[in-house]
Amino acid sequence: MKLNQLTYGIVGLGIMGGSFAKAIRQNILCQNGSTGKVYACNRSTACLDMAMKEGVADKVFTSDNVSKMLPECDVVFVCLYPHATLDFLREHRDEFKSGAVVTDISGVKGIFEKQLPSILRPDVDFIIGHPMAGGEKEGYANSKASFFVEHNYILCPIESNKEDNLEMMRSLVTAMGFTRITETTCDIHDYKIGFTSQLCHVIACALVDSAEDEEITAFGGGSFEDLTRIAMINAPLWSELFISNKEKLCEHIKQFRAYLDAFDNSIKAEDSEQLQALLNLSREKRLKMGSIRTSVKK
Amino acid sequence: MKLNQLTYGIVGLGIMGGSFAKAIRQNILCQNGSTGKVYACNRSTACLDMAMKEGVADKVFTSDNVSKMLPECDVVFVCLYPHATLDFLREHRDEFKSGAVVTDISGVKGIFEKQLPSILRPDVDFIIGHPMAGGEKEGYANSKASFFVEHNYILCPIESNKEDNLEMMRSLVTAMGFTRITETTCDIHDYKIGFTSQLCHVIACALVDSAEDEEITAFGGGSFEDLTRIAMINAPLWSELFISNKEKLCEHIKQFRAYLDAFDNSIKAEDSEQLQALLNLSREKRLKMGSIRTSVKK
């Protein structure tokens, strides 16, 4: 079936779920001849009313009647916190449509690889995915169809995934605006994300926490602002992500601290040569790393 | 005398000096009735040729004949590295115009407060200043008249400064686009800048250095990029800044590391309550800190 003929179910209509719904509506279901639908489910109803009013959702459901939504959906995006996603899959195991593709947005994948086999039915294909987009803004009100444009998407295929369904997911996220799809294992995902995302959030928050006063922006030239934008953090979500990935994250913290100590020692010793070697290394490495949008701008 | 009737001398025509020259030309000397001049001096000549060709400079000089420029300048911006600035002042002590205002752009001020009294003539007013603008781009080619728009400027008045000259500097930098001028001591400047600027640069560079590979941007969602933009660093300059401010900077590194350890420990202990307390603290503090442009956007 074509993407514009599928029924999509969004579980959790926050900034991520809302952006999926809007991107599907705008990029896929606005085509001529589209017969697909967007169904949305959320615990609270304010965002559901908004999604109906804006024409983003065709039908909406709450936690009480999501059992009526799931059997109709060809593709389900579960946009909840990591453990809540697993709980949802467990609780609603028998309600998914046979042959459905179900996917998640969780920033940590090891727990999925471990728990999925005991949760899912063989006739439901769960594709582990991670849309690499976010920000300090939350909620449906901040969601938008263009939220994912030029962002990275990570897929962690597992043995049971059907190649047709993986190909459908690739087309679907590409149609939503994602520009670089990387396929890897859950283990590598968690290690890399532990560095590029989780370690960065730990650093940003530790930096803000260590500030002695709040009257420092008069002394800012942009660096502090850049480093701490992500410190306006959702504490329950990130606490769960950090703890769910603790071995890998703490390994990254350890490696980072070793370099922090190297800087500290060479500054204290006034060892300009060693200090410049550390700084030149970071300049050269950073330049080689390019941009998250490297593949687009080339 | 009015700002548009003064002769300005720029020593060092890089991104900062070039942006001063262009902002003066565009914002101050383009007014009707302007009789002021911009003179520029640089060791290498390519940027000088460009500044003449673009109509930014009225006359240019090299290190060999800067002695001819200084006696004509009412206001001199010395846009060199910190120690090179002090060396320049020492070497050219007798060449400044009597009554001239001389200022700098150095990111560290303690060494100025300490050394200036033995360097400067009583009839030359040195105003210690710090334009809080920068970036990974360097050189005159990247300079622009709007470089300072909506940025912070810090003045560290010393006892010998004349109030008229301080007032002239405030008007001058405001005309260049700076929107928030903070006046403080050299000691407070170095402590605050040690945090908002130098610590941030140390962290960004240590983070990049600790990366195990360069193929990580496919796993980036923006955080890593935000935190490491400033890691594309000028090693000789920043090595000098770090070492010149080592006591204060290392104190900040120590405080930051204490919070990093607190995060590390609560993640390892899976202490979600403690972790969320640390995260909530950073969210609340960061929101209160506002923007470097707070005073503009209010």
Side-chain angles (χ1 to χ4, degrees):
Chain A
M1 246 193 330
K2 287 183 174 172
L3 292 180
N4 68 359
Q5 296 170 358
L6 300 174
T7 296
Y8 298 89
I10 313 289
V11 177
L13 205 62
I15 186 158
M16 300 297 289
S19 297
F20 277 123
K22 289 176 181 175
I24 292 169
R25 172 65 59 203
Q26 182 176 302
N27 303 355
I28 296 166
L29 301 188
C30 276
Q31 300 162 353
N32 271 345
S34 295
T35 56
K37 305 278 178 209
V38 173
Y39 294 168
C41 151
N42 200 67
R43 201 162 45 181
S44 60
T45 57
C47 61
L48 297 177
D49 296 344
M50 237 190 289
M52 284 301 289
K53 207 169 141 188
E54 294 172 356
V56 169
D58 295 290
K59 243 193 243 183
V60 294
F61 302 81
T62 65
S63 324
D64 293 336
N65 64 351
V66 64
S67 306
K68 292 192 182 153
M69 176 181 103
L70 295 175
E72 298 192 44
C73 299
D74 302 299
V75 181
V76 179
F77 284 87
V78 186
C79 304
L80 303 174
Y81 287 11
H83 286 96
T85 297
L86 289 163
D87 291 344
F88 183 89
L89 295 176
R90 213 173 272 117
E91 195 179 335
H92 298 279
R93 183 179 190 279
D94 299 327
E95 298 159 9
F96 291 101
K97 182 174 178 177
S98 186
V101 171
V102 184
T103 189
D104 72 311
I105 63 162
S106 168
V108 59
K109 297 303 184 194
I111 50 173
F112 281 77
E113 196 172 35
K114 210 176 293 174
Q115 296 186 36
L116 278 179
S118 69
I119 297 176
L120 277 178
R121 286 159 34 199
D123 63 329
V124 170
D125 204 8
F126 192 90
I127 297 183
I128 300 177
H130 186 188
M132 297 292 299
E136 72 277 19
K137 290 179 178 169
E138 290 169 14
Y140 178 79
N142 288 303
S143 68
K144 50 185 179 180
S146 64
F147 194 62
F148 304 121
V149 171
E150 293 200 357
H151 279 74
N152 289 322
Y153 204 92
I154 304 176
L155 285 174
C156 303
I158 48 179
E159 221 172 307
S160 55
N161 289 148
K162 295 194 177 64
E163 180 49 37
D164 282 359
N165 290 337
L166 287 169
E167 192 49 37
M168 186 276 293
M169 275 299 289
R170 290 180 202 116
S171 308
L172 179 55
V173 303
T174 301
M176 287 177 182
F178 289 99
T179 33
R180 180 156 55 163
I181 302 172
T182 299
E183 302 192 15
T184 188
T185 65
C186 289
D187 198 58
I188 292 177
H189 170 278
D190 285 359
Y191 192 73
K192 300 273 192 177
I193 295 300
F195 182 78
T196 59
S197 171
Q198 294 169 0
L199 175 62
C200 290
H201 282 77
V202 167
I203 289 172
C205 293
L207 176 59
V208 171
D209 283 351
S210 80
E212 289 182 338
D213 60 60
E214 285 147 10
E215 306 299 319
I216 52 164
T217 49
F219 292 86
S223 311
F224 179 77
E225 218 174 34
D226 275 5
L227 263 73
T228 60
R229 179 186 61 83
I230 57 172
M232 291 178 264
I233 202 166
N234 175 330
L237 171 62
W238 285 89
S239 170
E240 186 180 331
L241 289 169
F242 293 165
I243 288 173
S244 301
N245 198 28
K246 73 170 186 166
E247 280 85 10
K248 293 183 172 69
L249 173 55
C250 289
E251 181 59 31
H252 289 303
I253 293 177
K254 190 179 158 192
Q255 286 167 15
F256 166 70
R257 195 167 33 208
Y259 276 95
L260 187 68
D261 289 346
F263 273 94
D264 192 41
N265 292 334
S266 56
I267 293 166
K268 276 188 186 130
E270 302 195 13
D271 186 344
S272 173
E273 201 176 319
Q274 167 67 7
L275 194 48
Q276 290 195 45
L278 287 165
L279 294 169
N280 280 324
L281 175 66
S282 63
R283 182 189 179 93
E284 283 157 28
K285 276 178 88 170
R286 186 64 191 85
L287 284 168
K288 279 188 204 150
M289 284 170 178
S291 153
I292 52 169
R293 284 148 204 154
T294 300
S295 61
V296 190
K297 293 199 171 152
K298 253 180 192 168
Chain B
M1 246 192 332
K2 287 182 174 172
L3 291 180
N4 68 359
Q5 296 171 357
L6 299 174
T7 296
Y8 298 89
I10 312 289
V11 177
L13 205 62
I15 186 159
M16 299 297 287
S19 296
F20 277 125
K22 288 175 181 176
I24 292 169
R25 171 66 60 204
Q26 182 177 303
N27 302 355
I28 297 166
L29 301 188
C30 276
Q31 300 162 354
N32 271 344
S34 294
T35 56
K37 305 278 179 208
V38 173
Y39 295 168
C41 150
N42 200 67
R43 203 163 39 182
S44 58
T45 57
C47 60
L48 298 176
D49 295 344
M50 239 191 287
M52 284 301 290
K53 208 169 142 187
E54 293 172 356
V56 170
D58 295 291
K59 243 192 245 184
V60 293
F61 302 81
T62 65
S63 323
D64 292 336
N65 65 353
V66 64
S67 307
K68 291 190 182 154
M69 177 182 102
L70 295 175
E72 298 191 45
C73 298
D74 302 300
V75 180
V76 179
F77 284 88
V78 186
C79 303
L80 303 174
Y81 287 11
H83 286 96
T85 297
L86 289 163
D87 291 343
F88 183 89
L89 296 175
R90 214 173 270 116
E91 194 180 334
H92 298 278
R93 182 180 191 279
D94 299 327
E95 296 158 11
F96 291 101
K97 183 174 179 177
S98 186
V101 170
V102 183
T103 190
D104 73 310
I105 62 161
S106 169
V108 58
K109 297 306 185 191
I111 51 172
F112 280 78
E113 197 173 35
K114 209 176 293 174
Q115 295 187 35
L116 277 179
S118 70
I119 296 177
L120 276 179
R121 286 158 32 196
D123 62 329
V124 170
D125 205 9
F126 192 91
I127 297 182
I128 299 177
H130 187 187
M132 297 293 298
E136 72 277 17
K137 290 178 177 168
E138 291 169 13
Y140 178 81
N142 287 304
S143 68
K144 50 185 179 180
S146 64
F147 193 63
F148 304 122
V149 171
E150 293 199 357
H151 279 74
N152 290 322
Y153 204 92
I154 304 176
L155 285 174
C156 302
I158 48 178
E159 220 173 306
S160 56
N161 289 148
K162 294 193 177 64
E163 181 49 37
D164 283 358
N165 289 337
L166 287 170
E167 193 49 39
M168 185 275 294
M169 275 299 290
R170 290 179 202 116
S171 310
L172 179 54
V173 304
T174 302
M176 286 178 184
F178 290 99
T179 33
R180 180 155 56 162
I181 302 173
T182 299
E183 302 191 15
T184 189
T185 64
C186 289
D187 198 57
I188 292 176
H189 169 279
D190 284 359
Y191 192 74
K192 298 272 193 178
I193 295 300
F195 182 77
T196 58
S197 171
Q198 293 168 2
L199 176 62
C200 292
H201 282 76
V202 167
I203 288 171
C205 292
L207 176 58
V208 172
D209 283 351
S210 80
E212 289 182 339
D213 60 61
E214 285 145 11
E215 307 298 319
I216 51 165
T217 50
F219 294 86
S223 310
F224 179 77
E225 217 173 36
D226 275 5
L227 263 72
T228 59
R229 180 187 59 84
I230 58 172
M232 292 177 261
I233 204 167
N234 175 330
L237 172 61
W238 285 90
S239 170
E240 188 179 329
L241 290 169
F242 292 165
I243 290 174
S244 300
N245 197 28
K246 71 170 189 168
E247 279 84 11
K248 294 183 172 68
L249 174 55
C250 290
E251 181 60 30
H252 289 303
I253 293 176
K254 189 179 159 192
Q255 287 167 16
F256 166 70
R257 193 165 36 207
Y259 277 94
L260 188 68
D261 289 346
F263 273 94
D264 192 41
N265 292 334
S266 57
I267 293 166
K268 275 189 187 131
E270 302 194 13
D271 186 344
S272 173
E273 201 177 319
Q274 169 66 10
L275 193 48
Q276 290 195 45
L278 287 165
L279 294 169
N280 280 324
L281 175 66
S282 63
R283 182 187 178 94
E284 282 157 27
K285 276 178 87 171
R286 186 63 191 87
L287 283 169
K288 278 188 204 152
M289 284 171 180
S291 154
I292 53 169
R293 283 148 206 155
T294 300
S295 62
V296 189
K297 294 198 173 155
K298 252 182 188 165

